Amino acid sequence: MIEQVAQHAMQVHGEAWTVKELFVLPNEYIYWSIQIVMYPFMTGLVAGAFVLSSLYHVFGVKKLKEIARFSLVFSFALLPVAMMPLLLHLQQPLRGINVLMTPHFTSAISAFGIVFLTYSFIVASELWFEYRKHFVLTYSRLEVRLDLGFFDNLRRLFFKTLTLGAFDISEEAQEKDHKAVKVLASIGIPIACFLHGYAGFIFGSVKANALWMTPLMPVIFICSAVVSGIALCILTYVLTQEIRKFMARRRIARWAKDTGAPSFEELRGAEEQEVRTVSNYLLYFMIAAITLEILDLIFRGYTQVKSWDILREVIMERDFFKIFILQYTIGNALPFLMMIWPNRSVRRVTAASVLILFGVFMMRWNVVIGGQAFSLSFAGFMHYHMPIIPHNWETFKEGFFGALTVMITPFVIFYFLNKIFPAFLKDDESVEEFEGVNGKSAPEFSATRPY
Amino acid sequence: MKRRDFLKKSILVIAGASVPLSALQMVDPKKVLAENLDIHWAFLIDTFKCVGCGFCVKACKTENNIPFEANVTRTWVERYVYTKDDRRYIDSPKGALYGYTDPRIDMGMGEYKEIDPDNVGKAFFVPKLCNHCITPPCTQVCPVGATYKADNGVVLVDRSWCIGCGYCIMACPYGARFFHPTLHVADKCTFCYHRITKGMDTACVNACPFGARKMCNIRDIDDPITKIIMNQRVGVLKDEFGTKPQAFYIGLAQEVR
């Protein structure tokens, strides 16, 4: 018993989920486990959602107006989650801040702090410009009411703070807001690509790892990031639209009871149009991503350098099911066919998006776990058994439930963010309301509609 | 003086002065000292002399407080067996902590392979440890600079600053790094820094009964071990990575990676 306890206490990080076969160096384990699979997956979603919103703001794809706003808010909800897997993976999570405090610039990870913070500021300020009018209107609506309860008062103060003192919502001011959004979105695209490209660089620059080391890695990561980001936006957009449609039909929510609320048919029409347009972009990026991935594979097979023997065994034999069936067939080929098939419907695109998300997840898995499936000695293999039922903190955070926590968090954050930045806010709605009731200065605004 | 003249003359002075000034260099005294340091540690392993007793592994674990039963180690010994029918077997059970007392090959996953002694073509042992590379990939990738190369060539880890991301472990082509089982920070061979800086040998060099492991100051050309490295044919592991390892091997087989 005592021996068992001692043995358990001496368990090395990674030992719990690594099984070694043939000759593996004594210190080799699968050190980068599920959370490092989640990390590029989540940052990819952030970058992808942002690129989608920029399609409207920068390139003026008018049809994407509604989903652009939605994906911007969603991208903001995903942001804090991008660093969650890193923190859960660190052996010394309390020292995680050191990456920001004492960055060592020859390391790809040290760029994280700078790129991540820059990116957060850009998304946050873009959101602010986008929603400034909403803040002002909400604030003024609350300001004129006399029967404010404690929470409404808090809300009033909160929205007053959010306006940052900029109450001007004249035409010119709004024009400036739009311009700012456009500029920020155009700066944001390269930074979003950098945010994810560098995640690819983290892997691609590890020369010790035969599977990871390729200059294509950052580009592959960016393309698959955009693919996954768009797919998740479609999925979440359709889900929320379905809920809204349901509410509109049953008139459940407060907004649905208003006379000016969008009807069931209006919602359905908007949904179909948005999803059709977005799925086109999804297809373009998918073609780019798959082309690069296949190119990488063919190149390795053709050049047959020293590592190819072991890589071939991993790719073609041991991980065949995960790579060719789960990733390429179910995650890429099948949704691709579903989308190019004529008469694509919202339902089909949504199903395809789920498969694409799965495919991108499998791609991350096959890169991160697959890259550790063989020994540095090229003479042995390591198998990864993801801990499902946690028996200690480590197997929780680096196991199934840790990954699940990371998966769920953005949706929880989105729920709350949506209260502040309503993702489905209609421009004309608020403008009409504002112009119809009063002149210029917002605080004189006299609408009494409870919102 | 007119403004025009003033400007003309100023440009002349700046242009004239910039030539001799460009010859001046900002000198970091530390850098100069480091470049001309009279100590740079290197390691020499004679694979012909190693018998796989595992004393070095035991000594290392004891000296450096690496838990005995933990399946990680700063140094280890590998066994290579080539059969006459051209099969290769490699193993290193527990990093050879208890020595090679079992003739069977550890195939992993609890399987062992019996090899007919008459079928053995050649067999040898290869001790391994951190190579203390001249251009170490592990220090390059540390996001907080917790691992660094000391002026005398030894690659060290600052245990109070390591965040435990594992990037250095991934970056090392030799598998020399691991997470310390109780301290939860990256750990590796330090060439027994606390000993060599006091003029002693490393624990493994001290423990090796056959002199398979030797340590030297490669800047000192009168050092007998340095002479061996300079005069004999020695090899290093995985030189294709451009890491310039400072652990030299006598009798290195090409299959040893």
Side-chain angles (χ1 to χ4, degrees), chain A residues 8-59:
Chain A
H8 189 73
M10 283 308 120
Q11 195 167 51
V12 182
H13 178 73
E15 210 172 354
W17 49 78
T18 310
V19 174
K20 296 181 176 186
E21 187 186 345
L22 300 175
F23 177 58
V24 177
L25 298 177
N27 294 333
E28 273 188 291
Y29 291 99
I30 294 181
Y31 288 106
W32 281 5
S33 59
I34 183 72
Q35 290 297 356
I36 301 297
V37 178
M38 294 304 293
Y39 167 61
F41 187 62
M42 295 322 274
T43 40
L45 295 176
V46 176
F50 186 79
V51 169
L52 180 59
S53 82
S54 304
L55 280 176
Y56 165 69
H57 293 300
V58 182
F59 303 108

Short mmCIF file of all heavy atoms in Angstrom, two decimals, chain A residues 8-59:
data_model
loop_
_atom_site.label_atom_id
_atom_site.label_comp_id
_atom_site.label_asym_id
_atom_site.label_seq_id
_atom_site.Cartn_x
_atom_site.Cartn_y
_atom_site.Cartn_z
N HIS A 8 2.65 6.24 -6.82
CA HIS A 8 1.73 7.18 -7.43
C HIS A 8 2.25 8.61 -7.31
O HIS A 8 2.15 9.41 -8.24
CB HIS A 8 0.36 7.07 -6.78
CG HIS A 8 -0.67 7.86 -7.51
ND1 HIS A 8 -1.16 7.47 -8.74
CD2 HIS A 8 -1.23 9.05 -7.24
CE1 HIS A 8 -2.00 8.39 -9.17
NE2 HIS A 8 -2.08 9.35 -8.28
N ALA A 9 2.82 8.91 -6.14
CA ALA A 9 3.35 10.25 -5.92
C ALA A 9 4.50 10.52 -6.88
O ALA A 9 4.73 11.66 -7.27
CB ALA A 9 3.81 10.40 -4.49
N MET A 10 5.19 9.46 -7.27
CA MET A 10 6.33 9.62 -8.14
C MET A 10 5.95 9.60 -9.61
O MET A 10 6.78 9.54 -10.48
CB MET A 10 7.35 8.50 -7.88
CG MET A 10 8.16 8.71 -6.65
SD MET A 10 8.89 10.33 -6.65
CE MET A 10 8.19 11.03 -5.18
N GLN A 11 4.63 9.57 -9.86
CA GLN A 11 4.22 9.49 -11.26
C GLN A 11 4.63 10.77 -12.00
O GLN A 11 4.38 11.87 -11.54
CB GLN A 11 2.72 9.29 -11.38
CG GLN A 11 2.36 8.85 -12.77
CD GLN A 11 0.94 8.34 -12.85
OE1 GLN A 11 0.02 9.00 -12.42
NE2 GLN A 11 0.77 7.17 -13.42
N VAL A 12 5.27 10.55 -13.12
CA VAL A 12 5.79 11.66 -13.90
C VAL A 12 4.67 12.25 -14.75
O VAL A 12 3.74 11.54 -15.14
CB VAL A 12 6.92 11.15 -14.81
CG1 VAL A 12 7.52 12.27 -15.61
CG2 VAL A 12 7.97 10.44 -14.00
N HIS A 13 4.77 13.54 -15.01
CA HIS A 13 3.76 14.16 -15.86
C HIS A 13 3.74 13.47 -17.22
O HIS A 13 4.77 13.35 -17.88
CB HIS A 13 4.08 15.64 -16.05
CG HIS A 13 3.12 16.34 -16.95
ND1 HIS A 13 1.84 16.63 -16.56
CD2 HIS A 13 3.23 16.75 -18.22
CE1 HIS A 13 1.21 17.23 -17.56
NE2 HIS A 13 2.04 17.31 -18.58
N GLY A 14 2.57 13.03 -17.61
CA GLY A 14 2.45 12.36 -18.90
C GLY A 14 2.36 10.86 -18.79
O GLY A 14 1.87 10.18 -19.69
N GLU A 15 2.84 10.32 -17.67
CA GLU A 15 2.87 8.87 -17.52
C GLU A 15 1.46 8.28 -17.47
O GLU A 15 1.23 7.17 -17.94
CB GLU A 15 3.63 8.50 -16.24
CG GLU A 15 4.33 7.17 -16.32
CD GLU A 15 5.24 6.91 -15.12
OE1 GLU A 15 5.39 7.83 -14.29
OE2 GLU A 15 5.76 5.80 -15.03
N ALA A 16 0.51 9.08 -16.94
CA ALA A 16 -0.85 8.57 -16.75
C ALA A 16 -1.53 8.25 -18.07
O ALA A 16 -2.43 7.41 -18.11
CB ALA A 16 -1.68 9.59 -15.97
N TRP A 17 -1.15 8.93 -19.15
CA TRP A 17 -1.86 8.69 -20.40
C TRP A 17 -0.96 8.20 -21.53
O TRP A 17 -1.39 8.13 -22.67
CB TRP A 17 -2.62 9.95 -20.84
CG TRP A 17 -1.80 11.20 -20.83
CD1 TRP A 17 -0.89 11.58 -21.76
CD2 TRP A 17 -1.81 12.22 -19.85
NE1 TRP A 17 -0.33 12.77 -21.43
CE2 TRP A 17 -0.88 13.20 -20.26
CE3 TRP A 17 -2.52 12.43 -18.66
CZ2 TRP A 17 -0.63 14.36 -19.53
CZ3 TRP A 17 -2.27 13.58 -17.93
CH2 TRP A 17 -1.34 14.53 -18.36
N THR A 18 0.30 7.91 -21.22
CA THR A 18 1.20 7.45 -22.28
C THR A 18 1.48 5.96 -22.14
O THR A 18 1.78 5.49 -21.05
CB THR A 18 2.54 8.21 -22.22
OG1 THR A 18 2.27 9.60 -22.15
CG2 THR A 18 3.39 7.93 -23.43
N VAL A 19 1.38 5.25 -23.25
CA VAL A 19 1.81 3.86 -23.29
C VAL A 19 2.93 3.77 -24.30
O VAL A 19 2.80 4.24 -25.43
CB VAL A 19 0.65 2.93 -23.68
CG1 VAL A 19 1.15 1.50 -23.86
CG2 VAL A 19 -0.45 2.97 -22.64
N LYS A 20 4.05 3.18 -23.87
CA LYS A 20 5.21 3.13 -24.76
C LYS A 20 5.31 1.76 -25.41
O LYS A 20 5.07 0.75 -24.77
CB LYS A 20 6.49 3.41 -23.97
CG LYS A 20 6.55 4.79 -23.38
CD LYS A 20 7.85 4.99 -22.64
CE LYS A 20 7.96 6.42 -22.12
NZ LYS A 20 9.27 6.67 -21.51
N GLU A 21 5.68 1.77 -26.68
CA GLU A 21 5.84 0.51 -27.40
C GLU A 21 7.20 0.49 -28.08
O GLU A 21 7.64 1.50 -28.61
CB GLU A 21 4.72 0.41 -28.45
CG GLU A 21 4.69 -0.93 -29.14
CD GLU A 21 3.68 -0.95 -30.28
OE1 GLU A 21 2.82 -0.06 -30.35
OE2 GLU A 21 3.77 -1.87 -31.09
N LEU A 22 7.87 -0.66 -28.05
CA LEU A 22 9.24 -0.79 -28.56
C LEU A 22 10.16 0.19 -27.85
O LEU A 22 9.93 0.51 -26.69
CB LEU A 22 9.26 -0.63 -30.08
CG LEU A 22 8.41 -1.67 -30.82
CD1 LEU A 22 8.38 -1.38 -32.29
CD2 LEU A 22 8.90 -3.08 -30.55
N PHE A 23 11.18 0.75 -28.56
CA PHE A 23 12.12 1.58 -27.83
C PHE A 23 11.76 3.05 -27.88
O PHE A 23 11.83 3.69 -28.93
CB PHE A 23 13.54 1.37 -28.37
CG PHE A 23 14.53 2.26 -27.68
CD1 PHE A 23 14.69 2.19 -26.30
CD2 PHE A 23 15.26 3.19 -28.38
CE1 PHE A 23 15.56 3.03 -25.64
CE2 PHE A 23 16.16 4.04 -27.73
CZ PHE A 23 16.30 3.95 -26.35
N VAL A 24 11.42 3.57 -26.71
CA VAL A 24 11.14 4.99 -26.55
C VAL A 24 12.12 5.49 -25.49
O VAL A 24 12.34 4.83 -24.48
CB VAL A 24 9.69 5.20 -26.09
CG1 VAL A 24 9.41 6.67 -25.84
CG2 VAL A 24 8.72 4.64 -27.11
N LEU A 25 12.72 6.67 -25.72
CA LEU A 25 13.68 7.19 -24.75
C LEU A 25 13.02 7.32 -23.37
O LEU A 25 11.82 7.60 -23.28
CB LEU A 25 14.20 8.56 -25.20
CG LEU A 25 14.96 8.58 -26.54
CD1 LEU A 25 15.34 10.00 -26.91
CD2 LEU A 25 16.20 7.72 -26.47
N PRO A 26 13.80 7.11 -22.30
CA PRO A 26 13.19 7.06 -20.96
C PRO A 26 12.40 8.32 -20.59
O PRO A 26 11.41 8.24 -19.88
CB PRO A 26 14.38 6.90 -20.02
CG PRO A 26 15.53 6.51 -20.85
CD PRO A 26 15.24 6.85 -22.28
N ASN A 27 12.85 9.48 -21.05
CA ASN A 27 12.17 10.72 -20.64
C ASN A 27 11.03 11.11 -21.56
O ASN A 27 10.40 12.14 -21.36
CB ASN A 27 13.18 11.87 -20.60
CG ASN A 27 14.21 11.66 -19.54
OD1 ASN A 27 13.96 11.00 -18.54
ND2 ASN A 27 15.39 12.20 -19.75
N GLU A 28 10.79 10.33 -22.59
CA GLU A 28 9.76 10.71 -23.55
C GLU A 28 8.38 10.29 -23.06
O GLU A 28 8.15 9.13 -22.73
CB GLU A 28 10.03 10.05 -24.90
CG GLU A 28 10.95 10.84 -25.78
CD GLU A 28 11.03 10.24 -27.15
OE1 GLU A 28 11.60 9.14 -27.28
OE2 GLU A 28 10.52 10.85 -28.08
N TYR A 29 7.48 11.26 -23.05
CA TYR A 29 6.06 10.99 -22.78
C TYR A 29 5.26 11.90 -23.68
O TYR A 29 5.83 12.80 -24.31
CB TYR A 29 5.71 11.27 -21.31
CG TYR A 29 6.35 10.29 -20.36
CD1 TYR A 29 7.52 10.63 -19.69
CD2 TYR A 29 5.80 9.03 -20.17
CE1 TYR A 29 8.12 9.73 -18.84
CE2 TYR A 29 6.41 8.13 -19.32
CZ TYR A 29 7.57 8.48 -18.66
OH TYR A 29 8.17 7.58 -17.84
N ILE A 30 3.96 11.70 -23.71
CA ILE A 30 3.14 12.64 -24.45
C ILE A 30 2.90 13.83 -23.52
O ILE A 30 1.95 13.85 -22.76
CB ILE A 30 1.85 11.97 -24.95
CG1 ILE A 30 2.24 10.90 -25.98
CG2 ILE A 30 0.89 12.98 -25.56
CD1 ILE A 30 1.13 10.14 -26.59
N TYR A 31 3.85 14.78 -23.57
CA TYR A 31 3.77 15.90 -22.65
C TYR A 31 2.70 16.89 -23.07
O TYR A 31 2.10 17.55 -22.25
CB TYR A 31 5.13 16.62 -22.59
CG TYR A 31 6.19 15.84 -21.86
CD1 TYR A 31 7.22 15.21 -22.54
CD2 TYR A 31 6.17 15.75 -20.47
CE1 TYR A 31 8.20 14.50 -21.87
CE2 TYR A 31 7.15 15.05 -19.79
CZ TYR A 31 8.16 14.44 -20.49
OH TYR A 31 9.13 13.74 -19.83
N TRP A 32 2.51 17.02 -24.38
CA TRP A 32 1.51 17.96 -24.89
C TRP A 32 0.25 17.17 -25.22
O TRP A 32 0.19 16.51 -26.25
CB TRP A 32 2.05 18.71 -26.11
CG TRP A 32 2.96 19.80 -25.71
CD1 TRP A 32 3.39 20.08 -24.44
CD2 TRP A 32 3.58 20.77 -26.56
NE1 TRP A 32 4.23 21.17 -24.46
CE2 TRP A 32 4.35 21.61 -25.74
CE3 TRP A 32 3.55 21.02 -27.93
CZ2 TRP A 32 5.10 22.67 -26.25
CZ3 TRP A 32 4.29 22.08 -28.43
CH2 TRP A 32 5.05 22.88 -27.59
N SER A 33 -0.73 17.26 -24.35
CA SER A 33 -1.88 16.39 -24.51
C SER A 33 -3.10 17.17 -24.99
O SER A 33 -2.97 18.14 -25.72
CB SER A 33 -2.15 15.67 -23.18
OG SER A 33 -2.37 16.63 -22.17
N ILE A 34 -4.26 16.77 -24.54
CA ILE A 34 -5.52 17.29 -25.09
C ILE A 34 -5.63 18.81 -25.05
O ILE A 34 -6.16 19.43 -25.97
CB ILE A 34 -6.72 16.61 -24.37
CG1 ILE A 34 -8.05 17.06 -24.96
CG2 ILE A 34 -6.70 16.86 -22.88
CD1 ILE A 34 -8.35 16.51 -26.32
N GLN A 35 -5.09 19.44 -23.99
CA GLN A 35 -5.22 20.90 -23.92
C GLN A 35 -4.43 21.58 -25.02
O GLN A 35 -4.81 22.66 -25.48
CB GLN A 35 -4.78 21.42 -22.54
CG GLN A 35 -5.71 21.06 -21.41
CD GLN A 35 -7.11 21.65 -21.55
OE1 GLN A 35 -7.40 22.40 -22.46
NE2 GLN A 35 -8.00 21.27 -20.67
N ILE A 36 -3.34 20.97 -25.44
CA ILE A 36 -2.57 21.58 -26.53
C ILE A 36 -3.27 21.29 -27.87
O ILE A 36 -3.03 21.97 -28.86
CB ILE A 36 -1.11 21.11 -26.50
CG1 ILE A 36 -0.48 21.47 -25.16
CG2 ILE A 36 -0.29 21.73 -27.61
CD1 ILE A 36 -0.41 22.96 -24.87
N VAL A 37 -4.14 20.29 -27.89
CA VAL A 37 -5.00 20.12 -29.06
C VAL A 37 -6.05 21.24 -29.06
O VAL A 37 -6.35 21.84 -30.09
CB VAL A 37 -5.69 18.74 -29.05
CG1 VAL A 37 -6.61 18.58 -30.24
CG2 VAL A 37 -4.66 17.63 -29.04
N MET A 38 -6.57 21.51 -27.87
CA MET A 38 -7.62 22.53 -27.75
C MET A 38 -7.09 23.93 -28.05
O MET A 38 -7.81 24.76 -28.58
CB MET A 38 -8.20 22.54 -26.32
CG MET A 38 -8.94 21.31 -25.93
SD MET A 38 -10.27 20.95 -27.06
CE MET A 38 -11.37 22.31 -26.74
N TYR A 39 -5.82 24.16 -27.71
CA TYR A 39 -5.28 25.50 -27.84
C TYR A 39 -5.32 26.02 -29.28
O TYR A 39 -5.93 27.06 -29.54
CB TYR A 39 -3.87 25.56 -27.24
CG TYR A 39 -3.12 26.80 -27.59
CD1 TYR A 39 -3.60 28.05 -27.22
CD2 TYR A 39 -1.94 26.74 -28.34
CE1 TYR A 39 -2.93 29.19 -27.57
CE2 TYR A 39 -1.28 27.89 -28.69
CZ TYR A 39 -1.77 29.11 -28.31
OH TYR A 39 -1.11 30.24 -28.68
N PRO A 40 -4.71 25.31 -30.25
CA PRO A 40 -4.83 25.83 -31.62
C PRO A 40 -6.25 25.77 -32.14
O PRO A 40 -6.65 26.59 -32.96
CB PRO A 40 -3.91 24.92 -32.44
CG PRO A 40 -3.64 23.75 -31.62
CD PRO A 40 -3.83 24.13 -30.19
N PHE A 41 -7.02 24.83 -31.65
CA PHE A 41 -8.42 24.74 -32.08
C PHE A 41 -9.17 26.00 -31.67
O PHE A 41 -9.86 26.63 -32.48
CB PHE A 41 -9.06 23.49 -31.48
CG PHE A 41 -10.45 23.21 -31.99
CD1 PHE A 41 -10.67 22.95 -33.33
CD2 PHE A 41 -11.53 23.22 -31.13
CE1 PHE A 41 -11.94 22.70 -33.81
CE2 PHE A 41 -12.81 22.97 -31.60
CZ PHE A 41 -13.01 22.71 -32.94
N MET A 42 -9.01 26.40 -30.40
CA MET A 42 -9.73 27.57 -29.92
C MET A 42 -9.20 28.86 -30.53
O MET A 42 -9.97 29.71 -30.96
CB MET A 42 -9.66 27.67 -28.38
CG MET A 42 -10.33 26.56 -27.62
SD MET A 42 -11.86 25.95 -28.28
CE MET A 42 -13.05 27.04 -27.60
N THR A 43 -7.86 29.03 -30.60
CA THR A 43 -7.35 30.26 -31.23
C THR A 43 -7.78 30.31 -32.68
O THR A 43 -8.03 31.39 -33.22
CB THR A 43 -5.81 30.39 -31.19
OG1 THR A 43 -5.26 29.13 -31.44
CG2 THR A 43 -5.33 30.94 -29.90
N GLY A 44 -7.85 29.14 -33.31
CA GLY A 44 -8.31 29.09 -34.70
C GLY A 44 -9.72 29.61 -34.82
O GLY A 44 -10.04 30.39 -35.72
N LEU A 45 -10.56 29.24 -33.87
CA LEU A 45 -11.95 29.71 -33.90
C LEU A 45 -12.00 31.23 -33.73
O LEU A 45 -12.75 31.91 -34.42
CB LEU A 45 -12.75 29.02 -32.80
CG LEU A 45 -12.91 27.51 -32.96
CD1 LEU A 45 -13.65 26.94 -31.77
CD2 LEU A 45 -13.65 27.18 -34.23
N VAL A 46 -11.16 31.76 -32.82
CA VAL A 46 -11.12 33.21 -32.61
C VAL A 46 -10.77 33.91 -33.91
O VAL A 46 -11.47 34.81 -34.37
CB VAL A 46 -10.06 33.58 -31.54
CG1 VAL A 46 -9.97 35.08 -31.41
CG2 VAL A 46 -10.37 32.95 -30.22
N ALA A 47 -9.65 33.46 -34.50
CA ALA A 47 -9.16 34.11 -35.71
C ALA A 47 -10.18 33.98 -36.84
O ALA A 47 -10.46 34.94 -37.55
CB ALA A 47 -7.82 33.50 -36.12
N GLY A 48 -10.75 32.80 -36.97
CA GLY A 48 -11.70 32.55 -38.05
C GLY A 48 -12.94 33.41 -37.91
O GLY A 48 -13.41 34.02 -38.89
N ALA A 49 -13.47 33.51 -36.69
CA ALA A 49 -14.67 34.32 -36.48
C ALA A 49 -14.38 35.77 -36.80
O ALA A 49 -15.20 36.47 -37.41
CB ALA A 49 -15.13 34.19 -35.03
N PHE A 50 -13.19 36.23 -36.45
CA PHE A 50 -12.85 37.61 -36.72
C PHE A 50 -12.72 37.87 -38.22
O PHE A 50 -13.20 38.88 -38.74
CB PHE A 50 -11.55 37.99 -36.01
CG PHE A 50 -11.21 39.44 -36.13
CD1 PHE A 50 -11.85 40.37 -35.34
CD2 PHE A 50 -10.29 39.88 -37.07
CE1 PHE A 50 -11.56 41.72 -35.47
CE2 PHE A 50 -10.01 41.22 -37.20
CZ PHE A 50 -10.64 42.14 -36.40
N VAL A 51 -12.06 36.94 -38.92
CA VAL A 51 -11.91 37.09 -40.37
C VAL A 51 -13.28 37.15 -41.03
O VAL A 51 -13.52 37.96 -41.93
CB VAL A 51 -11.05 35.95 -40.94
CG1 VAL A 51 -11.11 35.94 -42.47
CG2 VAL A 51 -9.61 36.10 -40.50
N LEU A 52 -14.19 36.34 -40.55
CA LEU A 52 -15.55 36.34 -41.12
C LEU A 52 -16.20 37.71 -40.94
O LEU A 52 -16.81 38.25 -41.87
CB LEU A 52 -16.39 35.25 -40.45
CG LEU A 52 -17.82 35.14 -40.94
CD1 LEU A 52 -17.86 34.86 -42.43
CD2 LEU A 52 -18.55 34.04 -40.19
N SER A 53 -16.06 38.29 -39.75
CA SER A 53 -16.70 39.59 -39.52
C SER A 53 -16.02 40.66 -40.36
O SER A 53 -16.65 41.61 -40.80
CB SER A 53 -16.66 39.94 -38.04
OG SER A 53 -15.42 40.50 -37.71
N SER A 54 -14.71 40.48 -40.63
CA SER A 54 -14.00 41.48 -41.42
C SER A 54 -14.42 41.44 -42.88
O SER A 54 -14.28 42.43 -43.59
CB SER A 54 -12.50 41.26 -41.32
OG SER A 54 -12.11 41.28 -39.99
N LEU A 55 -14.89 40.29 -43.34
CA LEU A 55 -15.33 40.19 -44.73
C LEU A 55 -16.36 41.26 -45.02
O LEU A 55 -16.39 41.86 -46.09
CB LEU A 55 -15.95 38.81 -45.00
CG LEU A 55 -14.97 37.68 -45.24
CD1 LEU A 55 -15.72 36.37 -45.39
CD2 LEU A 55 -14.12 37.93 -46.47
N TYR A 56 -17.21 41.51 -44.05
CA TYR A 56 -18.24 42.53 -44.22
C TYR A 56 -17.64 43.92 -44.05
O TYR A 56 -17.82 44.80 -44.90
CB TYR A 56 -19.37 42.31 -43.23
CG TYR A 56 -20.28 43.50 -43.10
CD1 TYR A 56 -21.13 43.86 -44.15
CD2 TYR A 56 -20.30 44.27 -41.94
CE1 TYR A 56 -21.95 44.97 -44.04
CE2 TYR A 56 -21.13 45.36 -41.83
CZ TYR A 56 -21.95 45.71 -42.88
OH TYR A 56 -22.76 46.80 -42.78
N HIS A 57 -16.88 44.12 -42.96
CA HIS A 57 -16.42 45.46 -42.63
C HIS A 57 -15.38 45.98 -43.61
O HIS A 57 -15.39 47.15 -43.96
CB HIS A 57 -15.82 45.48 -41.22
CG HIS A 57 -16.85 45.26 -40.17
ND1 HIS A 57 -17.92 46.09 -39.99
CD2 HIS A 57 -16.99 44.28 -39.24
CE1 HIS A 57 -18.66 45.64 -39.00
NE2 HIS A 57 -18.13 44.55 -38.54
N VAL A 58 -14.46 45.10 -44.03
CA VAL A 58 -13.37 45.58 -44.87
C VAL A 58 -13.71 45.44 -46.35
O VAL A 58 -13.55 46.35 -47.13
CB VAL A 58 -12.07 44.82 -44.56
CG1 VAL A 58 -10.95 45.35 -45.42
CG2 VAL A 58 -11.73 44.98 -43.10
N PHE A 59 -14.18 44.26 -46.71
CA PHE A 59 -14.40 44.01 -48.13
C PHE A 59 -15.83 44.34 -48.56
O PHE A 59 -16.18 44.18 -49.72
CB PHE A 59 -14.06 42.56 -48.46
CG PHE A 59 -12.66 42.22 -48.09
CD1 PHE A 59 -12.37 41.39 -47.01
CD2 PHE A 59 -11.59 42.76 -48.80
CE1 PHE A 59 -11.08 41.11 -46.65
CE2 PHE A 59 -10.29 42.48 -48.45
CZ PHE A 59 -10.03 41.65 -47.37
#
